[in-house]
Amino acid sequence: MKLHPALESAGRRPWAALGVLLLMSSLAMAPAQAQPLPPAGPYYGVGIDGFGSKEATSFGPLDMSNEFGSASAIVGTNPQPFVSLNVTSSDPTYGAHDTSAFGTLGYYVRVAGPVGGEVPVWITASGFLTYSSSNANLNGSLKIVRQNFNTPLVEENICHHSLFCGTTDNDSFVLKQKPFTFVAGVPYYVSMVAQATAMSNSGGNGYATVFLDPYFEIDPTFEKAADYTLQFSPGIVQQPVPEPGTVALWLAGLGLLAGARRPHRKRAS
């Protein structure tokens, strides 16, 4: 049997052979750590009862409207993944109508770095729903599950009078930089699901909204934070949302720049 030339030459030098074998072993192991994560899978739709519907499987806004109501759904990635639903129902003919929207987004996140290490990751997330009356049916959920594990690392739900509510209504949830332990190199699946329906009858109108929005960040106080990075499914963007104070400073700075430039224009003219 003919050996690889590198092994053939190394066979005459034991230390070189050992080096080649270690190199080949590391190359064989590297792809498992560097394998790209599966792409994100958005799926969402809108509809007005008896007047049509639309569905989409790519990121972006989706909407429809007529005299009986309007429905919009957005599954987006910028500045971070989110699901947003907004439905209204009107009743110009004193009949009964409803508008609805649903959205799902599933993607993967992984901590890349020394394999097997445990890394604290901040998860900042919010979810809320609003509605005009008890006729509205809404629900939303955020789940984060480690691959090959059944128990969710994170499970948050919001619900109002929906078939999926169970016995408790909950209009919002907030995770404010709450730390969770991630195992480096292991994919975690993020699932976001939401549904909203607004109904009208006897001359009444209704509206309903649902919003879900998670954000991930390696704990900056972790002593080995520089050794790790976060990886996401292709198409997923994670950018920090500016704090209100930061936005105010930006606007003030732009105002000062604009004011500083104005006299120069007058002198030049």
Side-chain angles (χ1 to χ4, degrees):
M1 180 178 69
K2 187 172 179 61
L3 296 175
H4 189 280
L7 287 176
E8 205 169 54
S9 61
R12 295 185 290 271
R13 293 173 299 202
W15 291 110
L18 179 60
V20 170
L21 288 173
L22 289 173
L23 176 61
M24 294 180 70
S25 297
S26 64
L27 290 174
M29 294 173 63
Q33 172 70 3
Q35 284 181 348
L37 294 170
Y43 182 67
Y44 52 110
V46 295
I48 299 177
D49 182 34
F51 299 94
S53 61
K54 297 180 181 179
E55 295 182 13
T57 56
S58 59
F59 295 108
L62 183 69
D63 57 75
M64 65 183 302
S65 63
N66 61 25
E67 62 177 319
F68 301 106
S70 64
S72 65
I74 305 176
V75 176
T77 64
N78 195 355
Q80 60 248 4
F82 68 92
V83 174
S84 177
L85 309 178
N86 188 356
V87 295
T88 63
S89 182
S90 57
D91 186 17
T93 59
Y94 296 92
H97 302 289
D98 65 71
T99 59
S100 61
F102 65 91
T104 70
L105 175 58
Y107 63 95
Y108 289 85
V109 57
R110 172 175 60 199
V111 175
V115 178
E118 293 188 344
V119 181
V121 175
W122 280 351
I123 301 177
T124 305
S126 63
F128 65 84
L129 50 85
T130 61
Y131 46 90
S132 61
S133 70
S134 61
N135 287 333
N137 290 322
L138 309 93
N139 67 78
S141 69
L142 166 66
K143 290 185 182 181
I144 303 172
V145 184
R146 177 180 169 181
Q147 190 177 57
N148 301 324
F149 277 60
N150 293 324
T151 303
L153 183 69
V154 174
E155 183 172 11
E156 296 288 343
N157 298 283
I158 48 177
C159 223
H160 175 77
H161 283 197
S162 173
L163 295 175
F164 306 102
C165 281
T167 58
T168 304
D169 288 0
N170 179 27
D171 292 350
S172 65
F173 70 81
V174 175
L175 295 175
K176 183 61 174 176
Q177 292 186 341
K178 188 174 180 179
F180 295 87
T181 300
F182 278 53
V183 178
V186 176
Y188 290 75
Y189 184 67
V190 183
S191 171
M192 303 163 64
V193 180
Q195 173 267 338
T197 301
M199 291 170 282
S200 61
N201 54 59
S202 302
N205 300 325
Y207 70 85
T209 63
V210 182
F211 186 78
L212 301 170
D213 181 18
Y215 174 72
F216 296 80
E217 180 185 9
I218 292 175
D219 185 349
T221 64
F222 178 46
E223 60 181 1
K224 298 180 180 178
D227 297 336
Y228 297 91
T229 58
L230 286 170
Q231 297 177 338
F232 296 89
S233 293
I236 294 299
V237 179
Q238 290 273 301
Q239 297 176 355
V241 178
E243 295 291 335
T246 305
V247 174
L249 287 174
W250 285 354
L251 293 175
L254 289 173
L256 289 173
L257 287 174
R261 289 173 59 88
R262 195 172 295 116
H264 291 291
R265 289 199 191 98
K266 289 181 180 179
R267 284 196 293 268
S269 62

